[in-house]
Amino acid sequence: MPRAGLNTERVVAEAAAMADETGTDRLTLAALAARLGVRQPSLYKHIDGLASLRQRIAVLTKNELADVLGRAAIGRARADALVAVAHAYRAWALEHPGRYQAAQRAPVPGDADDEAASARAVQVLATVMGGYGFGGDDAVDAIRSFRAALHGFVALETGGAFALPVDIDRSFDRLVRTLAAALADWGGDAGAR
C-alpha cells in the first residue's frame, strides 16, 4: 500500500525541487526516496523509473513555464509583451535552474502530455509574435530567434560566464530591447533573405 500522503504529484514535485538544487543530471531515485522518507522500491508505485520521472518533470516544468509566460503576456502587445515575457522567462529560469533545464527538451513524440505542455509554451510566444504580424514560418523563425537569444543569455549567466563588472540586468534589458526593435523591423520579407 502506498505511503500516506505520497502520490505521483508529490513525487514529481519533490524531484523537480531536487533538480533545482542539484541539476537534473544528478537526480537519483535513491536520493529522492531518502528525501521523501521512503525506500526506493516505494517510488515505483508512482513512477516507472528514472527516465519516466525525468519525463514527468519535463511536462510539469513546461506547464509551469507556459503559465509564467502567459501571465507576463496578458494585456500586453508587441514590444511590451516581448519584454515582459523575456524578463519572466529569465527570472523563472534563474529561480528554477533544474526545472529550466528539463523544460528545454523537445516533446517526446507520441507523449500527448508532453506535446500539449510544449505547445502551451510555444503558443504564448506565437501569440506575442502575432502582435508583430508574424504567422506561419515567419513566426517559427521569430520564436526560434527569441528563444535562442534568451536561452544563450541564461545559459551564460547561470554558467558564471558574465564576470565583467557591468550590471547583468542592464545587459539583459538591452538584449531584449534589441530583439524587440529587430522584430519590429523584420517585416514580412524575412523568408526572402
Side-chain angles (χ1 to χ4, degrees), residues 55 62 104-111 113-119:
Q55 179 61 19
K62 289 174 186 181
Q104 297 311 303
R105 301 178 350 168
V108 173
D111 183 328
D113 291 338
D114 196 5
E115 290 173 345
S118 295

Side-chain angles (χ1 to χ4, degrees), residues 52-104:
S52 169
L53 179 62
R54 286 187 174 143
Q55 179 61 19
R56 287 176 181 265
I57 293 170
V59 171
L60 170 74
T61 60
K62 289 174 186 181
N63 279 315
E64 287 177 355
L65 182 57
D67 290 343
V68 165
L69 299 181
R71 283 191 300 274
I74 289 176
R76 296 181 171 94
R78 293 183 59 94
D80 288 341
L82 189 87
V83 169
V85 166
H87 283 279
Y89 180 100
R90 177 177 172 233
W92 187 83
L94 295 177
E95 187 176 339
H96 303 289
R99 293 172 201 234
Y100 175 73
Q101 181 183 8
Q104 297 311 303

Side-chain angles (χ1 to χ4, degrees), residues 10-25:
R10 181 164 174 233
V11 169
V12 174
E14 286 295 329
M18 286 183 70
D20 284 340
E21 295 162 11
T22 65
T24 55
D25 295 341

Side-chain angles (χ1 to χ4, degrees), residues 7 25 49 105 137 156:
N7 57 38
D25 295 341
R105 301 178 350 168
D137 291 350
L156 290 168

